[in-house]
Amino acid sequence: MKEAFKKRVNQQLDSSSQLCKILIVDDEYVNIYALKIMLSRLNYVCDVANNGEEGLEKYKTFQPIIIFMDIEMPIMNGITATKLIRSYCQANQIEQPIIIASTAYTDAGTKAICNEAGMDHFLQKPIHSNEVIEILQTISN
């Protein structure tokens, strides 16, 4: 991660003024709601998308620094959406967001696919607040 981008992440993650924008991409309302509540309690601004295609479009307008990306969704899955976000950033010379896979699948094959797609971290569902905090702390270090 480039130092300037890491500094921006750290400033936003350390801020209590809700500067760090996070995008939640998931097709299950319960997952979105739970994660949004966790993040809002930590003073983060969140936007949501219900599938990968919507997530890609929201990324382009919202420009979040962190994306929680479900793997299996209708219309466009999280793997494809991640690859397209990475390509979009590269083509437009935009700093890459941190993409966190969020899935119930924990096998090595799924983790490898997520890694190959360009996902930075892996979060197992059901999501617990202590795991979210741990990942956000890892990102800021």
Side-chain angles (χ1 to χ4, degrees), residues 1 5 65-67 82 86 96-101 114-115 117-122 135 138-139:
M1 189 181 311
F5 183 65
I65 200 158
I66 298 171
I67 301 172
T82 296
R86 295 292 186 215
Q96 297 280 346
I98 296 163
I99 302 179
I100 302 165
C114 292
N115 190 38
M119 294 179 170
D120 302 293
H121 297 277
F122 192 88
I135 283 181
T138 299
I139 291 167

Side-chain angles (χ1 to χ4, degrees), residues 41-97:
R41 287 183 179 161
L42 297 170
N43 294 322
Y44 295 108
V45 174
C46 298
D47 200 357
V48 299
N50 296 304
N51 60 64
E53 183 177 81
E54 191 177 312
L56 176 61
E57 292 309 310
K58 290 255 181 144
Y59 174 77
K60 291 176 181 179
T61 57
F62 187 61
Q63 295 278 310
I65 200 158
I66 298 171
I67 301 172
F68 286 87
M69 182 75 74
D70 186 17
I71 304 303
E72 284 191 9
M73 295 176 287
I75 303 173
M76 181 188 293
N77 67 38
I79 301 299
T80 302
T82 296
K83 290 176 181 177
L84 291 173
I85 288 168
R86 295 292 186 215
S87 294
Y88 175 81
C89 291
Q90 187 173 12
N92 291 284
Q93 299 179 346
I94 298 171
E95 290 286 351
Q96 297 280 346

